[in-house]
Amino acid sequence: MVNETKNTKEAVLSLLYRSPDDVLSGVAISRKLDITRVAVWKHISALKNEGFDIESMPKGYRLNNKDDLLMPFCFPKDMRNRIYRFNSVESTMDTARSLAKEGACHLSAVVAENQTLGRGRLNRTWHSSQGGLWLTLILKPDIPPIYSYIYNFAASLTMASVLKKQFDVPVSVKWPNDLLIGSRKLAGLLSEMETRGDMVEFINIGIGLNVNNSPQKDEPRAISLKEYLGRPVCRKEILESFLHDFEQLTQTIDCEKIISRWKTMTSTIGSDVKIETLGDVFEGRAVDVDISGALILQTRDQSIQKIIYGDCFHT
Ligand code: BTN
C-alpha cells in the first residue's frame, strides 16, 4: 500500500512533468490514473510538502522548474533504473552503502535534495543545503582494490570536463580530487570501498557539487556555479552528462590515459603546496602526478617525495 501510494504520487508528478500544456486539470489527472479527484488533490498536497514547485490554479496544476527535477523519469531510459532520488537523507554515502549491499547495479547514482549529516574527507561536515548536487555513485567493477584509485581520478576528470563543456567555466582539479574555480572550492569528492576476498565489492564515490546553493556562509573559500555565472543552472543536465561521460571513460580502465587527461585539467602541478597527512606535513612544489595517482613533490632542499594521500593546500 505504501509503495502503491508512492507510485501513484510519482505518476502524478510524471504527468505534470510530461504535460505539453503548462496546466493539467485535476479531472485529466484523475482520468489518466484512474483515481478520484480527492486522491489527486492529496497527492498534489504531499508533493508540495516535499518541496516540488507545483502551482494550483483555477484550470488545474502546473509544475514549475521542470528542468531541475532529478526524478528517474526525467532521465533517458537506459539510466532510469539506476537513479535513486531522495528528498532528504542523512548522507547519500550511507544510503548508497545500503543500496550497494542490497544489489544496486554498477553505475547507480544516489541523489538527495538535502543531506542532514553530509560528510567530507577526514570526517568533516559537508554543508548540503537545497540547490547543490549531492551525489554518490555506486561502482561495482571487477578489479582488485589496488586499482580503485583510478575511479576517483576518472570522476573528478569527468565532472570537470562536463562543467567546462556545458558552462565554459575555468574549472581545475586540485590533487587528489577537489574541483576549483580560481582558488575557491566548487566540488569535493569522497570515496569509500568495500572488498570481498581479493576483489572490490563496491566503490562508492560521493560528489558534492555547489550548483545553485550559496555555500559561502558555511565555507568562506567555497563557490557555486550560480555564484560564478550569476544565474541558476540545471543540475539534471550536469548529472546526465556526467553519468554518460563517466561510463564512456571507464568502459576500459586505462590508467595512463585517465591520469594523463586528468593532468591537463589540474592546477596542482606547478603550484607550491602544503600536504598534511595523518602524521606529517610536506611543503614544496608539486611537479607531477604519477600513474598510481601519487603526487610528486620537490621539497625546498630539492629532494623528491612521493605522496600517496593527504589534504592538499595550494600556498
Ligand atoms: C570533501 O571535499 O571533503 C568531500 C566532500 C564530499 C561531499 C559529498 S556530498 C554527497 C556525498 N554525501 C556525503 O555525505 N558526502 C558526499
Side-chain angles (χ1 to χ4, degrees), residues 90-93 115 117-122 124 126 128 133-136 178 185 187-190 206-209:
E90 288 192 344
S91 160
T92 54
M93 298 308 285
Q115 299 186 112
L117 283 175
R119 59 176 186 270
R121 296 176 69 219
L122 304 174
R124 285 191 279 248
W126 182 264
S128 327
L133 183 59
W134 317 131
L135 157 73
T136 299
D178 284 351
K185 183 154 164 168
L189 274 79
L190 168 73
I207 304 179
L209 174 67

Side-chain angles (χ1 to χ4, degrees), residues 193-221:
M193 174 172 63
E194 207 146 305
T195 55
R196 176 174 299 199
D198 293 340
M199 300 298 270
V200 162
E201 188 183 349
F202 59 80
I203 305 167
N204 287 347
I205 300 186
I207 304 179
L209 174 67
N210 295 316
V211 184
N212 296 323
N213 54 322
S214 306
Q216 274 181 47
K217 60 179 184 333
D218 301 308
E219 294 290 340
R221 294 176 57 82

